[in-house]
């Protein structure tokens, strides 16, 4: 795990209405961090450090992205407050998918441009075949380019399974911004635990 300090990192999280490869996504969030510098939640969630938007679902459904009863029911039962906030745009920016995806491209570009380590940025998601695939599907449907190269896509879930004793503080709130922050904090804590780095 030591080599991860060579890079800048982004943690991405999405909330969706299906768990297949092309789901309707109702929120997309990300936070930026350096893994060896333990940041507080407040630092992670600074506006200039985050990407957070709700995404209109009507256009996605018309464009062939999918909704499934089970995923919708799960969100209604377990995540209703956040789902309602995203659908209404109350307390969160609600964008059409095209604009949301263009803004995310800009977010990733800005991160790359301000990377003080002058190396590539690694982008993490909680599952190699979930959020990364879902982003690919969204970008493809709207004929845009996913700004995350395949070589820079990392799997948070794989790290958790590889170092189970180091990821004791992880929680999943089903709010994409909170979850991105939770996962980033878990990564920083795990790095400190595994490497003995107490920097921070």
């Amino acid at each position: 795990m030591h080599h991860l300090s060579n890079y800048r990192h982004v943690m991405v999280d999405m909330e969706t209405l299906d768990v297949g490869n092309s789901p309707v996504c109702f929120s997309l969030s990300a936070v930026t961090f350096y893994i060896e510098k333990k940041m507080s939640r407040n630092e992670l969630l600074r506006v200039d450090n985050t990407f957070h938007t709700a995404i209109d679902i009507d256009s996605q459904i018309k464009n062939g992205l999918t909704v499934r009863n089970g995923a919708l029911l799960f969100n209604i039962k377990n995540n209703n407050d956040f789902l309602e906030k995203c659908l209404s745009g109350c307390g969160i920016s609600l964008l059409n998918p095209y604009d949301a995806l263009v803004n995310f491209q800009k977010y990733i570009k800005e991160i790359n441009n301000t990377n003080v380590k002058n190396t590539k940025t690694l982008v993490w998601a909680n599952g190699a075949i979930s959020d990364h695939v879902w982003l690919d599907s969204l970008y493809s449907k709207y004929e845009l380019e996913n700004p995350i190269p395949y070589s820079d896509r990392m799997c948070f879930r794989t790290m958790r399974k590889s170092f189970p004793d180091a990821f004791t503080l992880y929680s999943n709130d089903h709010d994409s911004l909170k979850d991105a922050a939770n996962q980033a904090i878990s990564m920083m804590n795990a790095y400190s635990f595994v490497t003995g780095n107490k920097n921070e």
Side-chain angles (χ1 to χ4, degrees):
M1 188 183 274
H2 287 75
H3 75 282
L4 292 176
S5 63
N6 295 332
Y7 306 100
R8 197 175 195 182
H9 301 268
V10 174
M11 185 66 72
V12 172
D13 196 80
M14 303 169 73
E15 300 301 332
T16 65
L17 296 179
D18 190 7
V19 293
N21 288 340
S22 300
V24 166
C25 169
F26 63 89
S27 72
L28 169 61
S29 304
V31 298
T32 304
F33 61 104
Y34 290 104
I35 199 167
E36 75 281 9
K37 297 181 180 178
K38 293 179 74 175
M39 299 169 67
S40 69
R41 184 175 301 275
N42 286 341
E43 289 175 305
L44 274 174
L45 294 178
R46 288 194 329 263
V47 171
D48 63 346
N49 195 62
T50 62
F51 182 90
H52 185 46
T53 189
I55 307 177
D56 178 71
I57 71 171
D58 290 342
S59 167
Q60 296 179 66
I61 293 170
K62 290 176 184 175
N63 225 350
L65 295 165
T66 57
V67 176
R68 290 289 179 267
N69 287 351
L72 181 57
L73 184 60
F74 174 88
N75 278 284
I76 291 171
K77 285 185 173 181
N78 300 285
N79 195 25
N80 195 58
D81 288 347
F82 185 66
L83 174 63
E84 184 175 339
K85 181 190 290 187
C86 290
L87 295 180
S88 67
C90 182
I92 183 174
S93 175
L94 174 59
L95 299 177
N96 68 67
Y98 188 93
D99 287 344
L101 295 172
V102 168
N103 286 352
F104 188 69
Q105 287 175 327
K106 293 176 181 176
Y107 174 77
I108 294 295
K109 182 178 180 180
E110 178 66 17
I111 288 167
N112 289 330
N113 289 342
T114 58
N115 186 351
V116 299
K117 295 189 176 181
N118 199 29
T119 59
K120 66 183 179 179
T121 301
L122 299 182
V123 182
W124 298 81
N126 192 14
I129 57 172
S130 52
D131 303 68
H132 286 306
V133 171
W134 299 339
L135 263 179
D136 275 337
S137 177
L138 265 175
Y139 274 104
S140 176
K141 287 291 185 182
Y142 290 90
E143 299 181 348
L144 291 166
E145 181 179 357
N146 188 333
I148 309 167
Y150 287 109
S151 61
D152 298 350
R153 301 178 189 185
M154 307 295 287
C155 179
F156 173 77
R157 186 176 296 144
T158 298
M159 292 298 288
R160 282 179 57 212
K161 289 187 176 181
S162 299
F163 301 96
D165 294 337
F167 283 88
T168 56
L169 300 178
Y170 169 69
S171 64
N172 189 342
D173 295 324
H174 307 294
D175 171 322
S176 55
L177 185 59
K178 289 181 181 178
D179 289 344
N182 288 343
Q183 289 157 200
I185 289 169
S186 291
M187 284 292 298
M188 290 183 284
N189 288 338
Y191 179 86
S192 178
F193 178 88
V194 171
T195 65
N197 186 330
K198 306 299 179 188
N199 204 10
E200 322 109 11

